[in-house]
Amino acid sequence: MSTISPDVESEEDQTVFYFHFVFRVCLFTPLSIWSILSGSVNIIAFFKIGLRNGVNQNFFILSIADALQGVIALCNSLCYILEWCELHPKAVSFFVLHGLLEIAYAFPLYVSIITTTVIALVRCLCVMMPFTVQRILTARKQLAAILFFCGPTMVALTYVVTHVKTGFKKSTVKDVRQRLFSNEAAFTLMEATRATILIGSYITIFISMLFLVRALKNSTGFQRQNTGSNSTTVNGSSRDARVIRGVFLVLAIFSICNFCPTFISITRFFDFGLRPLGRLSKEFVYVNILKNFLFYVNIGGNIFVYYFNNIRFQDEVNALLRKQTR
């Protein structure tokens, strides 16, 4: 590692370096491992519960996407560790590796976003037209909707991957678009796909949350839960309230954690100057670290929402933990 001189600009560089090290190595590495473990537990639990129910099926898909995000994030953290240890690979540079991992991360990320959007829409429609939606929007049709919207996204990302340059000298190229991609169209498609999915999903989920808040307030189970009533009707309504509350919390965590990525996507796509060509601005570095941290909160925090709002999920996790402790 080269020694940093004590001038003003180098002191700023040193601050950014230590900021990167603390977050990307000391914090993000264990968080990515937790994301893999929690995602794996979610997958096992929902599989054992059964996938005939649309909500469980969609949470199962969401759990797979979360676990894959954790795997790719861990690989990215390991690349940073190798880079700082100056263990340079001969075949490809770390810049290209980080770029490829960012594109690879987009695959499960977009599946997660699209699945979350389908969950929000279906639950919102269930609140508005419960009998009609349950009869029409079956688990298979919800799966078909997820695959339908994921299809064009996967095609776009596949095109982007095929236009990544593996051989270049970073010091000879100042334009970040020319460093990684062989043409401008690949970079534009990457940013346009990211912006379309994030902005469209964010708006859809936010509107759906408004309907869920109203449904949660009007739920008889939620209102009577505090009165101590134990009738069968109230218990059934309480289960509905827990489902709505669980979905709402998942959407709320998603909305909070994806506000920053949506903001970055808008600035990058419309070129507002937060990320100038060539060297990254310090503002982008800090905001990008915050974005990554929020991603970890999103994919690693869902297990707590499932556990405290789904009794069957709670039972399966407890049974799984008991088997592991024997």
Side-chain angles (χ1 to χ4, degrees), residues 152-184:
T153 303
M154 300 302 107
V155 172
L157 291 177
T158 302
Y159 172 83
V160 169
V161 170
T162 58
H163 288 78
V164 173
K165 295 191 298 185
T166 57
F168 74 98
K169 293 183 178 179
K170 183 179 177 180
S171 59
T172 62
V173 182
K174 294 184 178 180
D175 192 332
V176 70
R177 306 179 190 189
Q178 295 176 6
R179 292 187 209 164
L180 186 61
F181 300 103
S182 59
N183 59 41
E184 184 77 12

Side-chain angles (χ1 to χ4, degrees), residues 58 61-66 69 105-121 145-146 149-150 153-154 157 193-205 250-251 254-255 257-259 261-262 265 291 295 298-299 302:
N58 295 340
I61 298 172
L62 190 61
S63 300
I64 295 176
D66 289 346
Q69 290 178 71
Y105 188 87
F107 279 90
L109 173 63
Y110 294 163
V111 171
S112 175
I113 293 174
I114 291 172
T115 303
T116 305
T117 305
V118 170
I119 292 172
L121 280 174
I146 294 172
F149 288 106
C150 286
T153 303
M154 300 302 107
L157 291 177
T193 303
R194 190 201 317 266
T196 301
I197 292 178
L198 280 173
I199 297 172
S201 299
Y202 196 87
I203 294 174
T204 303
I205 290 173
V250 170
L251 299 181
F254 174 88
S255 299
C257 295
N258 282 274
F259 176 80
T262 304
S265 180
K291 176 203 75 173
F295 273 144
N298 188 19
I299 63 179
N302 284 336

Side-chain angles (χ1 to χ4, degrees), residues 8 17 61 73 83 86 176 179 191 204-205 217 220 244 270 302 326:
V8 175
F17 168 78
I61 298 172
E83 183 178 2
E86 296 187 346
V176 70
R179 292 187 209 164
E191 298 300 324
T204 303
I205 290 173
K217 289 182 178 179
T220 56
I244 296 174
F270 293 102
N302 284 336
R326 288 178 181 176

Side-chain angles (χ1 to χ4, degrees), residues 3-292:
T3 304
I4 302 177
S5 59
D7 55 74
V8 175
E9 183 177 356
S10 296
E11 288 180 359
E12 293 179 354
D13 291 341
Q14 193 173 23
T15 302
V16 172
F17 168 78
Y18 286 121
F19 189 82
H20 264 277
F21 182 82
V22 169
F23 276 86
R24 290 195 179 277
V25 177
C26 301
L27 182 61
F28 288 174
T29 302
L31 284 177
S32 61
I33 296 174
W34 166 253
S35 300
I36 296 171
L37 294 176
S38 61
S40 301
V41 171
N42 294 341
I43 292 170
I44 296 172
F46 281 117
F47 181 79
K48 288 187 174 181
I49 291 174
L51 305 179
R52 292 184 178 181
N53 180 277
V55 176
N56 293 336
Q57 170 198 264
N58 295 340
F59 282 152
F60 176 77
I61 298 172
L62 190 61
S63 300
I64 295 176
D66 289 346
L68 289 176
Q69 290 178 71
V71 171
I72 298 172
L74 179 60
C75 293
N76 200 29
S77 296
L78 293 177
C79 282
Y80 276 105
I81 294 174
L82 294 175
E83 183 178 2
W84 282 320
C85 293
E86 296 187 346
L87 300 175
H88 301 287
K90 296 180 179 179
V92 64
S93 71
F94 277 113
F95 180 82
V96 175
L97 283 176
H98 291 312
L100 288 172
L101 287 172
E102 181 181 357
I103 298 172
Y105 188 87
F107 279 90
L109 173 63
Y110 294 163
V111 171
S112 175
I113 293 174
I114 291 172
T115 303
T116 305
T117 305
V118 170
I119 292 172
L121 280 174
V122 171
R123 186 48 49 185
C124 180
L125 292 174
C126 283
V127 170
M128 298 171 59
M129 302 174 294
F131 300 105
T132 303
V133 172
Q134 290 177 6
R135 186 175 64 253
I136 297 177
L137 295 181
T138 61
R140 289 186 178 181
K141 290 183 179 179
Q142 293 179 42
L143 176 61
I146 294 172
L147 295 176
F148 175 79
F149 288 106
C150 286
T153 303
M154 300 302 107
V155 172
L157 291 177
T158 302
Y159 172 83
V160 169
V161 170
T162 58
H163 288 78
V164 173
K165 295 191 298 185
T166 57
F168 74 98
K169 293 183 178 179
K170 183 179 177 180
S171 59
T172 62
V173 182
K174 294 184 178 180
D175 192 332
V176 70
R177 306 179 190 189
Q178 295 176 6
R179 292 187 209 164
L180 186 61
F181 300 103
S182 59
N183 59 41
E184 184 77 12
F187 176 85
T188 303
L189 181 61
M190 179 74 178
E191 298 300 324
T193 303
R194 190 201 317 266
T196 301
I197 292 178
L198 280 173
I199 297 172
S201 299
Y202 196 87
I203 294 174
T204 303
I205 290 173
F206 182 78
I207 294 173
S208 299
M209 286 175 62
L210 297 179
F211 286 95
L212 293 180
V213 169
R214 182 177 179 182
L216 195 58
K217 289 182 178 179
N218 295 335
S219 172
T220 56
F222 183 77
Q223 292 173 354
R224 297 182 186 177
Q225 204 168 12
N226 298 325
T227 65
S229 177
N230 294 318
S231 65
T232 304
T233 303
V234 172
N235 288 335
S237 299
S238 298
R239 285 194 296 270
D240 294 338
R242 279 197 301 270
V243 171
I244 296 174
R245 184 172 56 199
V247 171
F248 175 80
L249 289 174
V250 170
L251 299 181
I253 293 174
F254 174 88
S255 299
I256 294 172
C257 295
N258 282 274
F259 176 80
C260 186
T262 304
F263 171 74
I264 291 178
S265 180
I266 294 174
T267 58
R268 289 172 65 167
F269 181 67
F270 293 102
D271 198 13
F272 287 155
L274 182 63
R275 181 173 186 172
L277 300 180
R279 177 174 175 154
L280 298 181
S281 65
K282 292 187 294 297
E283 293 80 7
F284 179 83
V285 170
Y286 296 138
V287 173
N288 195 51
I289 289 290
L290 175 61
K291 176 203 75 173
N292 293 333

